């Protein structure tokens, strides 16, 4: 079963290595001097500096806004809590290009809050930072809140009985137990914002550029492969270091703690302070999450002559601008077909990989586990462009094949499948498998008869996440989607790149459709979610 893990690693590393080789070995001789030359350029240093700065700022702002929400979801019981948990998770599975579009509708020219205290938000870095908080709010709420909800409150109460103040009891008892979870959440937020592409591409314009956006510019617009290769190496090393720290943090998170069922820790708010905290979190969710999505929907109906379905009807016709070779509405069917195929591939590879990791132990397994997480942070732009220049010769000439898109999307879905299924598979009692083997069952039959019934719900959750992230994948798909078969995120980006009110309105309409499909997928995930997997991404 280790074969799927090895296959995934080779298939993922192949296009990345091809980009590096084309850039640093153009004539058969390695030219490592280009690394120093590139990293000494002022414009590249500015990109690297801004990438690190905005990731740190976005992480700090996300923790500041989301930690109160993590406490509320962990310790309070109130009507509509389950629905609200699904609502705050919706942005996480939305494509980054849609997140950028939502905030463009909110803070762009003519937007609802295009100016705040004399500062134009659409021309400042604040639009990017707020969009990153919007996208990563659920990471903190689920990662920290999942553990917080199971910490035994009696330990803190015992400290209070011994004379400690509320603050001292929380600082000395609860905070040390939460530090690993907070660190893991912070590292994941930093990883996602460090590799941000769609948000920066739409909201940053020509003024702000991250490492990922610069890789896209160097490859797609300037065709400067040496610079793109150097930036790819820098991002690969940075993401590898982040994941190494994250893996260490996760191992610390697995240390023994006194945990109790979440139902025993949640209670109705008591006192003015707790009700005020709950109200503040609800207001922040409304302003930060519901408002951008609501403005996005409103803009999709607001035509020149008033509200109506004009932009939606226009999606079914081919305009004269040459933006598309087919009506934009066909992008919906394309995305659904690609996402279904990508989900099947991701579930097959990720499920087998999770099963293989369950049955092995040691450093090699931890290395494979980290390898499976790399696609979440390594440049999707590099992967997509690498596919084009790698899979261009028989027997792997797939440039004209439809399967190339779901293959690239599956790379992003596999980590979600592994992360969702691995904890459940590890919780299966090994004695059940041994009993099945004693009765004469083959390994395959033992897995089908013992493991599969126990992990069926986790498998459905994994498939739902894989479908949602495949549906919204943009970085790799923007390179390999054919002009006559665009996906929804690619179609939205193309429409936003064209001037005109009709193109903008159609982009809002397509984004709304994409948001609804992703939200429905997430609500289905919440419906089959088990307590054991509720804190996993």
């Amino acid at each position: 079963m280790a074969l799927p893990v090895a296959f995934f690693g080779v298939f993922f590393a192949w296009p990345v290595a091809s980009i590096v080789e084309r850039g640093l070995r153009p004539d058969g001789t390695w030219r490592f001097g280009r690394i120093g030359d590139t990293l000494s350029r002022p414009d590249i240093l500015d990109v690297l500096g801004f990438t690190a700065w905005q990731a740190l700022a976005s992480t700090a702002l996300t923790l500041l806004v989301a930690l109160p929400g993590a406490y509320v979801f962990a310790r309070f019981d109130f009507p509509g809590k389950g629905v609200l948990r699904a609502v705050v998770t919706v942005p996480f599975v939305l494509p980054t290009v849609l997140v950028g579009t939502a905030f463009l509708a909110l803070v762009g020219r003519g937007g609802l809050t295009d100016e705040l205290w004399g500062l134009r938000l659409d021309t400042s870095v604040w639009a990017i930072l707020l969009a990153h908080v919007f996208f990563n709010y659920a990471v903190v709420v689920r990662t920290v809140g999942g553990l917080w909800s199971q910490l035994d409150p009696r330990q803190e109460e015992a400290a209070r009985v011994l004379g400690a103040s509320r603050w001292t009891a929380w600082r000395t008892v609860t905070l040390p137990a939460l530090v690993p979870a907070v660190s893991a959440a912070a590292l994941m937020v930093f990883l996602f914002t460090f590799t941000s592409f769609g948000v920066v591409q739409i909201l940053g314009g020509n003024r702000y550029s991250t490492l990922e956006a610069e890789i896209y510019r160097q490859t797609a617009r300037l065709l400067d492969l040496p610079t793109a290769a150097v930036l790819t190496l820098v991002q690969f090393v940075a993401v590898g270091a982040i994941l190494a720290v994250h893996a260490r943090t996760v191992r610390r998170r697995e240390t023994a703690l006194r945990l109790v069922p979440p139902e025993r820790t949640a209670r109705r708010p008591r006192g003015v302070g707790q009700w005020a905290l709950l109200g503040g979190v609800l207001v922040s969710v409304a302003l930060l999450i519901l408002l951008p999505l609501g403005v996005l929907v409103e803009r999709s109906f607001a035509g020149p002559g008033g509200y109506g379905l004009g932009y939606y009807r226009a999606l079914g016709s081919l305009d004269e601008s040459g933006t598309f070779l087919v009506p934009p509405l066909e992008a919906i069917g394309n995305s659904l077909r690609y996402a279904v195929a990508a989900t099947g591939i991701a579930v097959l590879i990720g499920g087998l990989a999770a099963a293989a990791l369950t049955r092995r132990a040691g450093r090699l397994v931890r290395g494979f586990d980290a390898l499976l997480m790399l696609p979440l942070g390594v440049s999707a732009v590099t992967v997509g462009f690498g596919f084009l220049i790698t899979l261009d010769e028989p027997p792997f000439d797939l440039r004209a094949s439809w399967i190339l898109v779901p293959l690239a999307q599956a790379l992003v879905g596999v980590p979600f499948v592994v992360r969702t299924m691995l904890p459940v598979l590890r919780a299966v009692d090994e004695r059940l498998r041994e009993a099945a083997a004693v009765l004469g069952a083959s390994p395959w039959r033992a897995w089908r008869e013992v493991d599969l019934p126990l992990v069926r719900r986790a498998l459905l959750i994994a498939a739902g996440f894989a479908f949602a992230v495949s549906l919204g994948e943009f970085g790799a798909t923007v390179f390999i989607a054919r002009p006559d078969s665009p996906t929804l995120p690619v179609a939205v980006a193309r429409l936003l790149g064209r001037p005109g009110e009709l193109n903008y309105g159609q982009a809002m309409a397509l984004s709304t459709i994409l948001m609804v499909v992703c939200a429905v997928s997430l609500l289905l995930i919440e419906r089959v979610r088990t307590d054991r997997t509720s804190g996993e991404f």
Side-chain angles (χ1 to χ4, degrees):
M1 283 191 177
L3 182 61
V5 182
F7 171 79
F8 176 83
V10 172
F11 193 69
F12 166 69
W14 192 7
V16 178
S18 297
I19 290 286
V20 174
E21 184 179 11
R22 294 284 183 97
L24 300 182
R25 194 187 176 194
D27 53 4
T29 302
W30 288 101
R31 299 185 180 182
F32 294 108
R34 289 180 173 177
I35 298 178
D37 295 339
T38 300
L39 296 181
S40 61
R41 287 166 44 183
D43 59 325
I44 298 300
L45 290 177
D46 289 342
V47 170
L48 294 176
F50 177 75
T51 301
W53 178 86
Q54 63 84 27
L56 288 171
S58 297
T59 302
L61 191 58
T62 302
L63 290 176
L64 180 66
V65 174
L67 281 177
Y71 175 78
V72 165
F73 280 102
R75 295 303 199 193
F76 291 170
D77 185 22
F78 53 90
K81 179 179 176 179
V83 175
L84 190 62
R85 183 190 288 114
V87 168
V88 301
T89 313
V90 166
F92 183 75
V93 299
L94 293 179
T96 55
V97 67
L98 194 152
V99 175
T101 305
F103 272 80
L104 183 66
L106 180 64
V107 304
R109 293 193 176 276
L112 187 62
T113 57
D114 59 343
E115 187 171 319
L116 186 64
W117 297 315
L119 174 68
R120 289 207 57 83
L121 295 179
D122 61 336
T123 58
S124 72
V125 73
W126 282 104
I128 297 175
L129 298 182
L130 290 174
H132 284 160
V133 176
F134 168 86
F135 184 77
N136 293 289
Y137 186 92
V139 176
V140 177
V141 168
R142 282 186 173 266
T143 304
V144 180
L147 178 62
W148 209 337
S149 66
Q150 293 186 274
L151 292 180
D152 193 343
R154 290 176 298 181
Q155 299 178 73
E156 191 173 323
E157 293 168 359
R160 295 287 308 279
V161 170
L162 294 175
S165 64
R166 183 183 298 274
W167 163 248
T168 302
W170 184 85
R171 179 174 54 84
T172 58
V173 177
T174 304
L175 182 59
L178 289 176
V179 164
V182 174
S183 300
L187 284 169
M188 290 301 292
V189 173
F190 184 87
L191 174 67
F192 291 136
T193 54
F194 186 82
T195 58
S196 181
F197 175 56
V199 169
V200 177
Q201 189 77 358
I202 292 177
L203 296 177
N206 297 323
R207 185 173 182 181
Y208 300 107
S209 180
T210 57
L211 197 55
E212 182 87 349
E214 187 64 20
I215 292 173
Y216 174 76
R217 191 175 77 91
Q218 295 292 337
T219 52
R221 298 179 183 176
L222 303 181
L223 296 178
D224 187 352
L225 288 186
T227 300
V230 172
L231 296 181
T232 297
L233 285 176
V234 171
Q235 183 161 316
F236 190 85
V237 171
V239 168
I242 294 170
L243 288 177
V245 175
H246 177 257
R248 189 173 181 178
T249 304
V250 168
R251 287 196 294 273
R252 288 181 60 194
R253 183 182 172 185
E254 292 175 345
T255 56
L257 292 171
R258 184 180 297 177
L259 302 179
V260 296
E263 296 79 10
R264 291 176 53 184
T265 64
R267 63 178 187 272
R268 291 185 64 83
R270 293 178 294 186
V272 177
Q274 292 187 354
W275 280 106
L277 177 61
L278 174 59
V281 169
L282 294 179
V283 170
S284 67
V285 169
L287 294 177
L288 185 66
I289 296 178
L290 296 181
L291 183 60
L293 298 179
V295 172
L296 178 70
V297 175
E298 185 269 338
R299 288 298 180 89
S300 71
F301 291 102
Y307 290 101
L309 299 176
Y311 292 139
Y312 289 89
R313 294 192 186 98
L315 295 176
S317 59
L318 190 62
D319 62 10
E320 299 178 356
S321 65
T323 306
F324 297 97
L325 299 180
V326 295
L329 195 62
E330 291 193 14
I332 301 173
N334 296 333
S335 287
L336 292 175
R337 287 191 294 269
Y338 289 145
V340 169
T343 300
I345 298 171
V347 168
L348 177 63
I349 299 297
L352 292 176
L357 295 175
T358 304
R359 287 164 171 74
R360 300 289 187 270
R363 292 184 177 180
L364 184 61
V365 167
R366 289 197 293 269
F368 279 149
D369 199 1
L371 176 66
L372 291 168
M373 289 288 290
L374 277 177
L376 291 181
V378 174
S379 171
V381 169
T382 301
V383 172
F385 190 68
F387 275 173
L388 284 183
I389 66 174
T390 303
L391 304 177
D392 60 346
E393 296 179 359
F396 299 109
D397 187 1
L398 301 178
R399 289 176 301 173
S401 174
W402 67 272
I403 195 63
L404 192 60
V405 173
L407 282 175
Q409 293 175 344
L411 287 177
V412 184
V414 166
F416 288 89
V417 175
V418 174
R419 291 267 68 81
T420 303
M421 294 191 62
L422 192 57
V424 181
L425 284 171
R426 284 176 174 168
V428 176
D429 193 339
E430 184 65 28
R431 292 174 296 181
L432 296 175
R433 302 187 184 105
E434 295 172 353
V438 169
L439 294 175
S442 63
W444 164 247
R445 184 175 181 184
W447 188 89
R448 190 183 70 229
E449 300 291 342
V450 176
D451 293 66
L452 184 58
L454 296 174
V455 302
R456 184 177 290 115
R457 285 191 174 182
L459 185 63
L460 291 174
I461 293 172
F465 271 123
F467 179 82
V469 298
S470 300
L471 193 69
E473 204 287 320
F474 175 64
T477 309
V478 71
F479 272 103
I480 57 182
R482 294 184 299 179
D484 60 341
S485 301
T487 62
L488 277 170
V490 172
V492 170
R494 289 182 186 175
L495 287 168
L496 288 176
R498 295 275 184 166
E501 188 174 0
L502 178 61
N503 287 325
Y504 179 82
Q506 287 180 294
M508 297 297 114
L510 273 182
S511 296
T512 301
I513 294 172
L514 181 55
M515 179 187 67
V516 170
V517 175
C518 289
V520 169
S521 301
L522 184 65
L523 289 174
L524 292 177
I525 292 172
E526 282 291 317
R527 189 175 183 84
V528 299
R529 181 178 59 88
T530 61
D531 288 337
R532 179 175 294 171
T533 58
S534 62
E536 298 293 330
F537 275 104

